[in-house]
Amino acid sequence: MDLPCWLTKKQLYVAQQLINQGFHYCGNADGYCEPNFSIPIIDGWELSFPPGECFLDASCNKALFTKNLEGKEFNFQAELKATRRLIRTASKEYDCTGINHYQMALF
């Protein structure tokens, strides 16, 4: 799956973690209905529930990732808390793993 090229490496890492947890990349968020509210998380990530839908949306720099919650027994607060924790953990993991660091030569 091709993820948006405009996301940073860190944002792409978080996006991949979301996909691993059942989210799907939907494209540019401009083509979808505006949520009633959104909850800022970290590094530009926001969570929202589209009005009248059983989806949890995660977006960053207009890239929309969604998780279908329909047909499942779920608790909105628990899903929100788990996804918020996933985004924060993935962001901190990226910072701690050295993925974005480069070894420089001394000579």
Side-chain angles (χ1 to χ4, degrees):
M1 170 188 311
D2 291 332
L3 294 176
C5 62
W6 62 86
L7 295 179
T8 66
K9 289 181 183 181
K10 184 176 183 178
Q11 292 166 340
L12 288 170
Y13 180 80
V14 173
Q16 190 58 55
Q17 300 308 309
L18 287 168
I19 290 169
N20 292 345
Q21 293 300 314
F23 281 80
H24 300 281
Y25 173 58
C26 295
N28 192 320
D30 287 337
Y32 294 87
C33 65
E34 192 69 29
N36 291 340
F37 68 94
S38 62
I39 301 165
I41 306 299
I42 191 170
D43 296 327
W45 285 96
E46 294 182 345
L47 294 178
S48 61
F49 289 100
E53 300 287 338
C54 290
F55 293 96
L56 173 59
D57 290 343
S59 61
C60 184
N61 288 343
K62 299 290 185 181
L64 179 66
F65 298 84
T66 190
K67 184 176 185 180
N68 186 349
L69 303 174
E70 194 170 34
K72 301 176 186 175
E73 290 189 27
F74 65 91
N75 177 326
F76 280 112
Q77 292 298 332
E79 286 286 337
L80 191 62
K81 186 176 180 179
T83 305
R84 186 180 321 160
R85 186 179 321 116
L86 172 71
I87 292 171
R88 287 182 176 152
T89 301
S91 182
K92 289 176 185 176
E93 258 178 30
Y94 183 87
D95 289 338
C96 293
T97 58
I99 293 171
N100 59 343
H101 303 323
Y102 296 99
Q103 179 66 41
M104 297 178 68
L106 296 175
F107 302 102

